[in-house]
Amino acid sequence: MFKGGVVEGFTYFCRDFISKVVADIQKIHMVDLRGQYEKIKEEVLQGIQKVIEDTAFIQGPDVQAFAEELATWNEVRYVIPCANGTDALQIALMALDLQPGDEVIVPAFTYVATAEVIGLLRLVPVLVPVDPDTFNLDVAYLEAALSPKTKAIVPVHLFGQSAYMEPILDFAKKHGLFVVEDNAQAIGAQYRFADGRCFKTGAMGHIGCTSFFPSKNLGCYGDGGALMTNDPQLAEKIKMIANHGQQKKYYHEILGVNSRLDTVQAAVLRVKLRHLDTYCAQRQAAAARYDAYLSGCADVQLPVRAPYSTHVFHQYTLKISGGRRDALKNFLQERGIPTMVYYPVPLQNQNAFREICKTPTSLEVCNKLCQEVLSLPMHTELSQEQQEFISDNIFSFFKK
Ligand SMILES: *Cc1c(COP(=O)(O)O)cnc(C)c1O
């Protein structure tokens, strides 16, 4: 009886343990916003409830409060919230008084929004290659991209790491160009100049743009975005453009758009901003674990850390050469491990861009990256067990 009881108990314990492990492993998501929410639920619900009870839905006090808190956190003078990251980029370019036909230099390997707004404003996206290790704009090609019509550069801090800003800013200064940072993926990353000065991404160019899309490092529960700048005149102009070109209600000085951050989203963001340092650290810790688990795997190239930037790992992106990327993706998918290809098609091969972009140099490096990149699950809730399971399966694939 006693013996049977122990064995039975042990059997149940094992079954329970295994099912818990399996459940844990089954719950691997690219992004786990539910798990993150559970930890801040009280704060978030209180914030949202207050907005509703005050019926402060549009431009409520949380919007301005959030703007000020983000400015402090990001070490920049002005933050102007808007409706999403794409709007932020569009408003930034509108604020620079560019003329149709003016050229804007932009990396060919990025999310479509970066270049889409350039085309929408009848400006010309001039596509340049990226560095195949950092995935960011390759400054060696700036000179070749320059023409008398060049007016601006939009570097993208892709996957959570700053673009090589010092040479970009020097080049821009030398040629009188604006710099608009696309910081949708790297909020919190820090760039170090050769003289030791450090700046957070988004605070170095004339204007920085970011997105609060839910899966971004600072994400709200819907759409949201913001612009940031240290220039008081640009800040005023941006504010006007985002608000129908008016400073005084019903008096419209310039053509603008309607692009606001909802107060409910601002309330969520105020809570999440208080945790953003922790979120960055959690992503970095998860990245360090992947590095450790996967370092012996000769068939994958791990993310490269640039010496001039910290990395906040919006994505943890591997490179798989030899044409095996898609097979690995499928192999992992069959084992319950989601992965994503950011991005499968470079801008120069997108139908929307073929006719309107300029490509002064070969973009073969971007074509190749699109065949090789694979982003693993990366978020604040990723557990050591999940990452071991993911890494073990990557090893198994290559041992086949
Ligand atoms: C997400 C993203 C955007 C656009 O942000 P939305 O809020 O989705 O409009 C722009 N650029 C990059 C690089 C992004 O990752």
Side-chain angles (χ1 to χ4, degrees), residues 350-383:
Q350 301 281 1
N351 289 334
F353 288 93
R354 245 187 272 270
E355 306 276 299
I356 61 161
C357 68
K358 263 179 76 176
T359 56
T361 58
S362 163
L363 296 167
E364 192 43 41
V365 62
C366 301
N367 287 326
K368 191 154 174 266
L369 279 183
C370 290
Q371 304 303 314
E372 294 185 349
V373 288
L374 190 66
S375 296
L376 301 183
M378 172 50 77
H379 52 80
T380 56
E381 312 305 307
L382 208 53
S383 73

PDB file of all heavy atoms in Angstrom, residues 350-383:
ATOM      1  N   GLN A 350      10.286  45.493 -54.307  1.00  0.00           N
ATOM      2  CA  GLN A 350       8.856  45.641 -54.020  1.00  0.00           C
ATOM      3  C   GLN A 350       8.204  46.387 -55.179  1.00  0.00           C
ATOM      4  O   GLN A 350       8.719  47.425 -55.623  1.00  0.00           O
ATOM      5  CB  GLN A 350       8.642  46.448 -52.730  1.00  0.00           C
ATOM      6  CG  GLN A 350       9.274  45.840 -51.487  1.00  0.00           C
ATOM      7  CD  GLN A 350       8.458  44.705 -50.899  1.00  0.00           C
ATOM      8  OE1 GLN A 350       7.396  44.343 -51.431  1.00  0.00           O
ATOM      9  NE2 GLN A 350       8.942  44.133 -49.806  1.00  0.00           N
ATOM     10  N   ASN A 351       7.064  45.883 -55.612  1.00  0.00           N
ATOM     11  CA  ASN A 351       6.394  46.528 -56.748  1.00  0.00           C
ATOM     12  C   ASN A 351       6.122  48.006 -56.503  1.00  0.00           C
ATOM     13  O   ASN A 351       6.227  48.820 -57.409  1.00  0.00           O
ATOM     14  CB  ASN A 351       5.085  45.802 -57.075  1.00  0.00           C
ATOM     15  CG  ASN A 351       5.357  44.445 -57.699  1.00  0.00           C
ATOM     16  OD1 ASN A 351       6.418  44.254 -58.310  1.00  0.00           O
ATOM     17  ND2 ASN A 351       4.444  43.506 -57.536  1.00  0.00           N
ATOM     18  N   ALA A 352       5.778  48.334 -55.263  1.00  0.00           N
ATOM     19  CA  ALA A 352       5.436  49.724 -54.949  1.00  0.00           C
ATOM     20  C   ALA A 352       6.629  50.665 -55.115  1.00  0.00           C
ATOM     21  O   ALA A 352       6.448  51.874 -55.250  1.00  0.00           O
ATOM     22  CB  ALA A 352       4.893  49.825 -53.529  1.00  0.00           C
ATOM     23  N   PHE A 353       7.836  50.114 -55.074  1.00  0.00           N
ATOM     24  CA  PHE A 353       9.020  50.971 -55.078  1.00  0.00           C
ATOM     25  C   PHE A 353       9.831  50.935 -56.364  1.00  0.00           C
ATOM     26  O   PHE A 353      10.610  51.830 -56.641  1.00  0.00           O
ATOM     27  CB  PHE A 353       9.931  50.620 -53.895  1.00  0.00           C
ATOM     28  CG  PHE A 353       9.352  51.079 -52.592  1.00  0.00           C
ATOM     29  CD1 PHE A 353       8.574  50.223 -51.829  1.00  0.00           C
ATOM     30  CD2 PHE A 353       9.547  52.378 -52.151  1.00  0.00           C
ATOM     31  CE1 PHE A 353       8.009  50.653 -50.640  1.00  0.00           C
ATOM     32  CE2 PHE A 353       8.996  52.819 -50.970  1.00  0.00           C
ATOM     33  CZ  PHE A 353       8.214  51.952 -50.207  1.00  0.00           C
ATOM     34  N   ARG A 354       9.646  49.871 -57.130  1.00  0.00           N
ATOM     35  CA  ARG A 354      10.476  49.666 -58.321  1.00  0.00           C
ATOM     36  C   ARG A 354      10.574  50.925 -59.183  1.00  0.00           C
ATOM     37  O   ARG A 354      11.644  51.316 -59.610  1.00  0.00           O
ATOM     38  CB  ARG A 354       9.924  48.521 -59.153  1.00  0.00           C
ATOM     39  CG  ARG A 354      10.865  47.332 -59.224  1.00  0.00           C
ATOM     40  CD  ARG A 354      10.334  46.317 -60.209  1.00  0.00           C
ATOM     41  NE  ARG A 354       9.418  45.379 -59.550  1.00  0.00           N
ATOM     42  CZ  ARG A 354       9.817  44.245 -58.990  1.00  0.00           C
ATOM     43  NH1 ARG A 354      11.084  43.917 -58.990  1.00  0.00           N
ATOM     44  NH2 ARG A 354       8.955  43.444 -58.422  1.00  0.00           N
ATOM     45  N   GLU A 355       9.428  51.581 -59.374  1.00  0.00           N
ATOM     46  CA  GLU A 355       9.376  52.715 -60.295  1.00  0.00           C
ATOM     47  C   GLU A 355       9.839  54.018 -59.661  1.00  0.00           C
ATOM     48  O   GLU A 355      10.215  54.942 -60.363  1.00  0.00           O
ATOM     49  CB  GLU A 355       7.930  52.914 -60.763  1.00  0.00           C
ATOM     50  CG  GLU A 355       7.294  51.682 -61.356  1.00  0.00           C
ATOM     51  CD  GLU A 355       7.636  51.525 -62.826  1.00  0.00           C
ATOM     52  OE1 GLU A 355       7.280  52.431 -63.599  1.00  0.00           O
ATOM     53  OE2 GLU A 355       8.273  50.511 -63.175  1.00  0.00           O
ATOM     54  N   ILE A 356       9.748  54.088 -58.350  1.00  0.00           N
ATOM     55  CA  ILE A 356       9.952  55.414 -57.741  1.00  0.00           C
ATOM     56  C   ILE A 356      11.287  55.564 -57.015  1.00  0.00           C
ATOM     57  O   ILE A 356      11.658  56.672 -56.652  1.00  0.00           O
ATOM     58  CB  ILE A 356       8.810  55.767 -56.755  1.00  0.00           C
ATOM     59  CG1 ILE A 356       8.747  54.755 -55.598  1.00  0.00           C
ATOM     60  CG2 ILE A 356       7.466  55.866 -57.464  1.00  0.00           C
ATOM     61  CD1 ILE A 356       7.984  55.299 -54.399  1.00  0.00           C
ATOM     62  N   CYS A 357      12.004  54.459 -56.798  1.00  0.00           N
ATOM     63  CA  CYS A 357      13.233  54.595 -56.019  1.00  0.00           C
ATOM     64  C   CYS A 357      14.447  54.728 -56.922  1.00  0.00           C
ATOM     65  O   CYS A 357      14.408  54.388 -58.100  1.00  0.00           O
ATOM     66  CB  CYS A 357      13.391  53.408 -55.073  1.00  0.00           C
ATOM     67  SG  CYS A 357      13.700  51.856 -55.897  1.00  0.00           S
ATOM     68  N   LYS A 358      15.516  55.257 -56.359  1.00  0.00           N
ATOM     69  CA  LYS A 358      16.803  55.299 -57.046  1.00  0.00           C
ATOM     70  C   LYS A 358      17.735  54.309 -56.361  1.00  0.00           C
ATOM     71  O   LYS A 358      17.733  54.201 -55.137  1.00  0.00           O
ATOM     72  CB  LYS A 358      17.409  56.707 -56.947  1.00  0.00           C
ATOM     73  CG  LYS A 358      17.153  57.579 -58.170  1.00  0.00           C
ATOM     74  CD  LYS A 358      17.757  58.961 -58.004  1.00  0.00           C
ATOM     75  CE  LYS A 358      19.267  58.971 -58.182  1.00  0.00           C
ATOM     76  NZ  LYS A 358      19.817  60.369 -58.113  1.00  0.00           N
ATOM     77  N   THR A 359      18.511  53.596 -57.164  1.00  0.00           N
ATOM     78  CA  THR A 359      19.447  52.620 -56.594  1.00  0.00           C
ATOM     79  C   THR A 359      20.826  52.854 -57.192  1.00  0.00           C
ATOM     80  O   THR A 359      21.202  52.220 -58.177  1.00  0.00           O
ATOM     81  CB  THR A 359      18.986  51.168 -56.896  1.00  0.00           C
ATOM     82  OG1 THR A 359      18.853  51.033 -58.321  1.00  0.00           O
ATOM     83  CG2 THR A 359      17.650  50.851 -56.269  1.00  0.00           C
ATOM     84  N   PRO A 360      21.574  53.781 -56.600  1.00  0.00           N
ATOM     85  CA  PRO A 360      22.872  54.157 -57.186  1.00  0.00           C
ATOM     86  C   PRO A 360      23.916  53.048 -57.144  1.00  0.00           C
ATOM     87  O   PRO A 360      24.840  53.064 -57.948  1.00  0.00           O
ATOM     88  CB  PRO A 360      23.337  55.342 -56.333  1.00  0.00           C
ATOM     89  CG  PRO A 360      22.288  55.589 -55.324  1.00  0.00           C
ATOM     90  CD  PRO A 360      21.263  54.531 -55.387  1.00  0.00           C
ATOM     91  N   THR A 361      23.804  52.118 -56.199  1.00  0.00           N
ATOM     92  CA  THR A 361      24.809  51.049 -56.116  1.00  0.00           C
ATOM     93  C   THR A 361      24.106  49.699 -56.072  1.00  0.00           C
ATOM     94  O   THR A 361      22.899  49.623 -55.873  1.00  0.00           O
ATOM     95  CB  THR A 361      25.658  51.164 -54.829  1.00  0.00           C
ATOM     96  OG1 THR A 361      24.771  51.125 -53.712  1.00  0.00           O
ATOM     97  CG2 THR A 361      26.455  52.457 -54.800  1.00  0.00           C
ATOM     98  N   SER A 362      24.893  48.654 -56.235  1.00  0.00           N
ATOM     99  CA  SER A 362      24.322  47.308 -56.148  1.00  0.00           C
ATOM    100  C   SER A 362      23.752  47.075 -54.752  1.00  0.00           C
ATOM    101  O   SER A 362      24.325  47.503 -53.753  1.00  0.00           O
ATOM    102  CB  SER A 362      25.411  46.270 -56.420  1.00  0.00           C
ATOM    103  OG  SER A 362      24.967  45.007 -55.963  1.00  0.00           O
ATOM    104  N   LEU A 363      22.599  46.397 -54.704  1.00  0.00           N
ATOM    105  CA  LEU A 363      21.971  46.105 -53.414  1.00  0.00           C
ATOM    106  C   LEU A 363      21.970  44.603 -53.155  1.00  0.00           C
ATOM    107  O   LEU A 363      21.139  44.080 -52.407  1.00  0.00           O
ATOM    108  CB  LEU A 363      20.548  46.678 -53.394  1.00  0.00           C
ATOM    109  CG  LEU A 363      20.487  48.210 -53.492  1.00  0.00           C
ATOM    110  CD1 LEU A 363      19.071  48.679 -53.774  1.00  0.00           C
ATOM    111  CD2 LEU A 363      21.023  48.846 -52.218  1.00  0.00           C
ATOM    112  N   GLU A 364      22.915  43.923 -53.793  1.00  0.00           N
ATOM    113  CA  GLU A 364      22.990  42.475 -53.688  1.00  0.00           C
ATOM    114  C   GLU A 364      23.073  42.023 -52.226  1.00  0.00           C
ATOM    115  O   GLU A 364      22.483  41.014 -51.840  1.00  0.00           O
ATOM    116  CB  GLU A 364      24.214  41.970 -54.482  1.00  0.00           C
ATOM    117  CG  GLU A 364      24.271  40.472 -54.699  1.00  0.00           C
ATOM    118  CD  GLU A 364      22.939  39.839 -55.094  1.00  0.00           C
ATOM    119  OE1 GLU A 364      22.210  40.444 -55.922  1.00  0.00           O
ATOM    120  OE2 GLU A 364      22.623  38.751 -54.573  1.00  0.00           O
ATOM    121  N   VAL A 365      23.787  42.791 -51.410  1.00  0.00           N
ATOM    122  CA  VAL A 365      23.941  42.425 -50.009  1.00  0.00           C
ATOM    123  C   VAL A 365      22.568  42.337 -49.312  1.00  0.00           C
ATOM    124  O   VAL A 365      22.350  41.484 -48.448  1.00  0.00           O
ATOM    125  CB  VAL A 365      24.889  43.418 -49.281  1.00  0.00           C
ATOM    126  CG1 VAL A 365      24.329  44.834 -49.285  1.00  0.00           C
ATOM    127  CG2 VAL A 365      25.173  42.983 -47.862  1.00  0.00           C
ATOM    128  N   CYS A 366      21.637  43.188 -49.730  1.00  0.00           N
ATOM    129  CA  CYS A 366      20.292  43.168 -49.129  1.00  0.00           C
ATOM    130  C   CYS A 366      19.485  41.972 -49.641  1.00  0.00           C
ATOM    131  O   CYS A 366      18.752  41.328 -48.874  1.00  0.00           O
ATOM    132  CB  CYS A 366      19.550  44.467 -49.417  1.00  0.00           C
ATOM    133  SG  CYS A 366      20.410  45.914 -48.787  1.00  0.00           S
ATOM    134  N   ASN A 367      19.629  41.668 -50.943  1.00  0.00           N
ATOM    135  CA  ASN A 367      18.984  40.465 -51.482  1.00  0.00           C
ATOM    136  C   ASN A 367      19.418  39.243 -50.697  1.00  0.00           C
ATOM    137  O   ASN A 367      18.600  38.391 -50.329  1.00  0.00           O
ATOM    138  CB  ASN A 367      19.375  40.250 -52.946  1.00  0.00           C
ATOM    139  CG  ASN A 367      18.710  41.250 -53.871  1.00  0.00           C
ATOM    140  OD1 ASN A 367      17.575  41.666 -53.623  1.00  0.00           O
ATOM    141  ND2 ASN A 367      19.401  41.649 -54.920  1.00  0.00           N
ATOM    142  N   LYS A 368      20.716  39.171 -50.439  1.00  0.00           N
ATOM    143  CA  LYS A 368      21.275  38.012 -49.765  1.00  0.00           C
ATOM    144  C   LYS A 368      20.748  37.921 -48.329  1.00  0.00           C
ATOM    145  O   LYS A 368      20.365  36.840 -47.872  1.00  0.00           O
ATOM    146  CB  LYS A 368      22.807  38.132 -49.787  1.00  0.00           C
ATOM    147  CG  LYS A 368      23.544  36.893 -49.363  1.00  0.00           C
ATOM    148  CD  LYS A 368      24.947  36.837 -49.990  1.00  0.00           C
ATOM    149  CE  LYS A 368      25.734  35.664 -49.444  1.00  0.00           C
ATOM    150  NZ  LYS A 368      26.585  35.994 -48.291  1.00  0.00           N
ATOM    151  N   LEU A 369      20.713  39.062 -47.642  1.00  0.00           N
ATOM    152  CA  LEU A 369      20.215  39.054 -46.263  1.00  0.00           C
ATOM    153  C   LEU A 369      18.784  38.531 -46.194  1.00  0.00           C
ATOM    154  O   LEU A 369      18.426  37.784 -45.284  1.00  0.00           O
ATOM    155  CB  LEU A 369      20.254  40.470 -45.671  1.00  0.00           C
ATOM    156  CG  LEU A 369      21.597  40.957 -45.137  1.00  0.00           C
ATOM    157  CD1 LEU A 369      21.430  42.344 -44.530  1.00  0.00           C
ATOM    158  CD2 LEU A 369      22.157  39.982 -44.107  1.00  0.00           C
ATOM    159  N   CYS A 370      17.973  38.947 -47.168  1.00  0.00           N
ATOM    160  CA  CYS A 370      16.573  38.518 -47.162  1.00  0.00           C
ATOM    161  C   CYS A 370      16.454  36.993 -47.262  1.00  0.00           C
ATOM    162  O   CYS A 370      15.459  36.413 -46.828  1.00  0.00           O
ATOM    163  CB  CYS A 370      15.801  39.190 -48.288  1.00  0.00           C
ATOM    164  SG  CYS A 370      15.581  40.953 -48.004  1.00  0.00           S
ATOM    165  N   GLN A 371      17.474  36.351 -47.837  1.00  0.00           N
ATOM    166  CA  GLN A 371      17.475  34.885 -47.936  1.00  0.00           C
ATOM    167  C   GLN A 371      18.005  34.225 -46.664  1.00  0.00           C
ATOM    168  O   GLN A 371      17.799  33.033 -46.448  1.00  0.00           O
ATOM    169  CB  GLN A 371      18.376  34.423 -49.100  1.00  0.00           C
ATOM    170  CG  GLN A 371      18.027  35.017 -50.454  1.00  0.00           C
ATOM    171  CD  GLN A 371      16.601  34.722 -50.842  1.00  0.00           C
ATOM    172  OE1 GLN A 371      16.144  33.590 -50.720  1.00  0.00           O
ATOM    173  NE2 GLN A 371      15.876  35.736 -51.274  1.00  0.00           N
ATOM    174  N   GLU A 372      18.736  34.993 -45.841  1.00  0.00           N
ATOM    175  CA  GLU A 372      19.480  34.372 -44.741  1.00  0.00           C
ATOM    176  C   GLU A 372      18.967  34.674 -43.340  1.00  0.00           C
ATOM    177  O   GLU A 372      19.260  33.931 -42.404  1.00  0.00           O
ATOM    178  CB  GLU A 372      20.959  34.822 -44.815  1.00  0.00           C
ATOM    179  CG  GLU A 372      21.667  34.300 -46.041  1.00  0.00           C
ATOM    180  CD  GLU A 372      23.157  34.617 -46.075  1.00  0.00           C
ATOM    181  OE1 GLU A 372      23.616  35.424 -45.244  1.00  0.00           O
ATOM    182  OE2 GLU A 372      23.860  34.065 -46.931  1.00  0.00           O
ATOM    183  N   VAL A 373      18.240  35.776 -43.173  1.00  0.00           N
ATOM    184  CA  VAL A 373      17.881  36.175 -41.798  1.00  0.00           C
ATOM    185  C   VAL A 373      16.747  35.329 -41.228  1.00  0.00           C
ATOM    186  O   VAL A 373      15.841  34.906 -41.939  1.00  0.00           O
ATOM    187  CB  VAL A 373      17.463  37.661 -41.719  1.00  0.00           C
ATOM    188  CG1 VAL A 373      18.656  38.573 -41.879  1.00  0.00           C
ATOM    189  CG2 VAL A 373      16.387  37.986 -42.743  1.00  0.00           C
ATOM    190  N   LEU A 374      16.833  35.079 -39.935  1.00  0.00           N
ATOM    191  CA  LEU A 374      15.765  34.378 -39.225  1.00  0.00           C
ATOM    192  C   LEU A 374      15.734  34.903 -37.788  1.00  0.00           C
ATOM    193  O   LEU A 374      16.712  34.789 -37.051  1.00  0.00           O
ATOM    194  CB  LEU A 374      16.008  32.862 -39.222  1.00  0.00           C
ATOM    195  CG  LEU A 374      14.832  32.032 -38.707  1.00  0.00           C
ATOM    196  CD1 LEU A 374      13.629  32.147 -39.631  1.00  0.00           C
ATOM    197  CD2 LEU A 374      15.222  30.571 -38.530  1.00  0.00           C
ATOM    198  N   SER A 375      14.592  35.485 -37.417  1.00  0.00           N
ATOM    199  CA  SER A 375      14.457  36.043 -36.072  1.00  0.00           C
ATOM    200  C   SER A 375      13.791  35.032 -35.153  1.00  0.00           C
ATOM    201  O   SER A 375      12.743  34.474 -35.478  1.00  0.00           O
ATOM    202  CB  SER A 375      13.652  37.338 -36.115  1.00  0.00           C
ATOM    203  OG  SER A 375      14.355  38.319 -36.857  1.00  0.00           O
ATOM    204  N   LEU A 376      14.422  34.798 -34.008  1.00  0.00           N
ATOM    205  CA  LEU A 376      13.897  33.851 -33.017  1.00  0.00           C
ATOM    206  C   LEU A 376      12.925  34.565 -32.079  1.00  0.00           C
ATOM    207  O   LEU A 376      12.933  35.791 -32.002  1.00  0.00           O
ATOM    208  CB  LEU A 376      15.058  33.261 -32.202  1.00  0.00           C
ATOM    209  CG  LEU A 376      16.140  32.506 -32.968  1.00  0.00           C
ATOM    210  CD1 LEU A 376      17.168  31.930 -31.994  1.00  0.00           C
ATOM    211  CD2 LEU A 376      15.542  31.395 -33.827  1.00  0.00           C
ATOM    212  N   PRO A 377      12.116  33.783 -31.348  1.00  0.00           N
ATOM    213  CA  PRO A 377      11.244  34.423 -30.351  1.00  0.00           C
ATOM    214  C   PRO A 377      12.073  35.328 -29.435  1.00  0.00           C
ATOM    215  O   PRO A 377      13.142  34.928 -28.974  1.00  0.00           O
ATOM    216  CB  PRO A 377      10.669  33.232 -29.577  1.00  0.00           C
ATOM    217  CG  PRO A 377      10.660  32.123 -30.578  1.00  0.00           C
ATOM    218  CD  PRO A 377      11.911  32.323 -31.396  1.00  0.00           C
ATOM    219  N   MET A 378      11.611  36.535 -29.208  1.00  0.00           N
ATOM    220  CA  MET A 378      12.331  37.483 -28.350  1.00  0.00           C
ATOM    221  C   MET A 378      11.319  38.391 -27.672  1.00  0.00           C
ATOM    222  O   MET A 378      10.552  39.089 -28.353  1.00  0.00           O
ATOM    223  CB  MET A 378      13.322  38.297 -29.201  1.00  0.00           C
ATOM    224  CG  MET A 378      13.988  39.458 -28.459  1.00  0.00           C
ATOM    225  SD  MET A 378      14.723  39.060 -26.850  1.00  0.00           S
ATOM    226  CE  MET A 378      16.223  38.249 -27.323  1.00  0.00           C
ATOM    227  N   HIS A 379      11.273  38.308 -26.360  1.00  0.00           N
ATOM    228  CA  HIS A 379      10.389  39.193 -25.601  1.00  0.00           C
ATOM    229  C   HIS A 379      10.788  39.149 -24.128  1.00  0.00           C
ATOM    230  O   HIS A 379      11.738  38.445 -23.767  1.00  0.00           O
ATOM    231  CB  HIS A 379       8.924  38.786 -25.796  1.00  0.00           C
ATOM    232  CG  HIS A 379       8.633  37.335 -25.544  1.00  0.00           C
ATOM    233  ND1 HIS A 379       8.472  36.828 -24.275  1.00  0.00           N
ATOM    234  CD2 HIS A 379       8.513  36.275 -26.374  1.00  0.00           C
ATOM    235  CE1 HIS A 379       8.234  35.519 -24.361  1.00  0.00           C
ATOM    236  NE2 HIS A 379       8.266  35.156 -25.619  1.00  0.00           N
ATOM    237  N   THR A 380      10.063  39.910 -23.333  1.00  0.00           N
ATOM    238  CA  THR A 380      10.457  40.072 -21.930  1.00  0.00           C
ATOM    239  C   THR A 380      10.131  38.861 -21.065  1.00  0.00           C
ATOM    240  O   THR A 380      10.606  38.769 -19.942  1.00  0.00           O
ATOM    241  CB  THR A 380       9.747  41.298 -21.313  1.00  0.00           C
ATOM    242  OG1 THR A 380       8.329  41.132 -21.479  1.00  0.00           O
ATOM    243  CG2 THR A 380      10.173  42.588 -22.017  1.00  0.00           C
ATOM    244  N   GLU A 381       9.299  37.966 -21.574  1.00  0.00           N
ATOM    245  CA  GLU A 381       8.835  36.850 -20.741  1.00  0.00           C
ATOM    246  C   GLU A 381       9.502  35.523 -21.105  1.00  0.00           C
ATOM    247  O   GLU A 381       9.124  34.471 -20.580  1.00  0.00           O
ATOM    248  CB  GLU A 381       7.302  36.691 -20.884  1.00  0.00           C
ATOM    249  CG  GLU A 381       6.519  37.981 -20.755  1.00  0.00           C
ATOM    250  CD  GLU A 381       6.817  38.708 -19.464  1.00  0.00           C
ATOM    251  OE1 GLU A 381       6.705  38.089 -18.394  1.00  0.00           O
ATOM    252  OE2 GLU A 381       7.189  39.910 -19.527  1.00  0.00           O
ATOM    253  N   LEU A 382      10.460  35.544 -22.003  1.00  0.00           N
ATOM    254  CA  LEU A 382      11.076  34.318 -22.500  1.00  0.00           C
ATOM    255  C   LEU A 382      11.834  33.614 -21.373  1.00  0.00           C
ATOM    256  O   LEU A 382      12.636  34.236 -20.685  1.00  0.00           O
ATOM    257  CB  LEU A 382      12.046  34.719 -23.609  1.00  0.00           C
ATOM    258  CG  LEU A 382      12.367  33.753 -24.738  1.00  0.00           C
ATOM    259  CD1 LEU A 382      11.113  33.233 -25.410  1.00  0.00           C
ATOM    260  CD2 LEU A 382      13.250  34.477 -25.756  1.00  0.00           C
ATOM    261  N   SER A 383      11.571  32.296 -21.189  1.00  0.00           N
ATOM    262  CA  SER A 383      12.231  31.597 -20.081  1.00  0.00           C
ATOM    263  C   SER A 383      13.466  30.854 -20.569  1.00  0.00           C
ATOM    264  O   SER A 383      13.605  30.530 -21.754  1.00  0.00           O
ATOM    265  CB  SER A 383      11.261  30.611 -19.430  1.00  0.00           C
ATOM    266  OG  SER A 383      11.067  29.494 -20.270  1.00  0.00           O
TER     267      SER A 383
END
